[in-house]
Amino acid sequence: NMPLIVTEKHTSSMEPIPAGVHIGICYSVVDLGTHINATYGVEQRKVLVSWELPGCLGEFEQDGETVELPRVVSKRYTLSLSEKAILRKDLESWRGRRFTPSELAGFNLEVLTGLACQIQIVHAEGKDGRTFGNVSCIMALPKGASDPGKAQAPMTFFSLDDLGEEPELPDLPQWVKGIIVESNEWKALTSPEPVLTPQDKNTETGEEEDNDVPF
């Protein structure tokens, strides 16, 4: 069977996602692996979180036809819940409360898939002069807000720690795959020579009942 491929129609008139606050549904959490931060000369593990914006439609080619589907945005984070980490700041804003000490010991990011939030989009100009809509901050849905439903995109969660001796990447955009294959973890799994990687802590998170917190 031929795969069903969907792509955004890129034209010279393609507008960036409008600036402002949008409802977003998280459909993808992808481990990008450990990379060298050239600015600071340190190794950092990265994760890519992506959201579908049901209120912001774009034209896509699907099965030879032009269809309207929700556009998507992504934000790349350092995989850290340290006090100054942007991931921690965004997650606490999304949750509507701070992490507990037990949660900070190990928080499973897979719980994000399928959850909704508010996303602040700001415009920035790229090196090529094009304007992009970037994720500035994440916020919880307003009290009493209606359920935006499920994302149309398939739910995706990928961790390099789950790969076996014959690693295989899931169905991801090529640019995302390109980042993963350059990571220390992927090279260690696919290279005949051993590659040293930092030890990653994976601690089970404690469960805590709180009906006002989305995750």
Side-chain angles (χ1 to χ4, degrees):
N1 294 336
M2 293 294 291
L4 185 64
I5 305 298
V6 58
T7 59
E8 188 169 11
K9 289 181 69 178
H10 289 284
T11 67
S12 58
S13 61
M14 173 61 69
E15 295 292 328
I17 291 172
V21 178
H22 299 260
I23 299 297
I25 305 170
C26 179
Y27 72 92
S28 176
V29 177
V30 174
D31 179 7
L32 298 176
T34 302
H35 302 264
I36 295 177
N37 184 320
T39 302
Y40 300 103
V42 297
E43 290 186 326
Q44 296 175 324
R45 193 159 182 172
K46 299 289 184 176
V47 61
L48 186 74
V49 182
S50 303
W51 298 266
E52 189 175 274
L53 307 181
C56 184
L57 301 179
E59 288 190 343
F60 293 81
E61 291 288 350
Q62 180 174 283
D63 202 21
E65 296 183 358
T66 299
V67 296
E68 280 196 332
L69 293 172
R71 296 182 67 179
V72 300
V73 292
S74 301
K75 188 170 182 177
R76 196 183 313 190
Y77 296 94
T78 297
L79 191 61
S80 170
L81 289 181
S82 64
E83 189 172 351
K84 295 183 179 180
I86 296 176
L87 178 61
R88 177 172 172 175
K89 175 180 71 71
D90 279 359
L91 291 182
E92 289 184 336
S93 178
W94 187 351
R95 288 156 55 90
R97 71 161 169 82
R98 295 176 64 83
F99 282 107
T100 65
S102 62
E103 289 170 336
L104 290 173
F107 184 77
N108 183 6
L109 292 178
E110 188 172 5
V111 303
L112 301 179
T113 55
L115 298 181
C117 62
Q118 295 183 97
I119 297 177
Q120 176 81 44
I121 297 293
V122 298
H123 283 175
E125 187 174 304
K127 294 180 180 179
D128 59 358
R130 290 177 59 200
T131 299
F132 295 90
N134 293 330
V135 177
S136 173
C137 65
I138 311 296
M139 298 160 285
L141 291 178
K143 294 285 186 181
S146 59
D147 184 356
K150 297 182 179 180
Q152 295 189 38
M155 294 294 107
T156 301
F157 177 77
F158 171 74
S159 172
L160 283 158
D161 294 334
D162 294 336
L163 296 180
E165 294 182 357
E166 297 182 0
E168 184 175 347
L169 293 177
D171 185 18
L172 297 168
Q174 280 302 126
W175 68 272
V176 177
K177 291 182 179 180
I179 296 172
I180 295 173
V181 299
E182 291 298 321
S183 69
N184 288 354
E185 289 79 6
W186 181 262
K187 290 177 180 178
L189 288 167
T190 59
S191 172
E193 296 295 329
V195 178
L196 298 178
T197 60
Q199 287 292 327
D200 297 299
K201 296 181 179 179
N202 286 316
T203 307
E204 291 295 327
T205 178
E207 295 183 1
E208 182 175 330
E209 293 293 333
D210 189 335
N211 293 331
D212 292 331
V213 180
F215 54 87

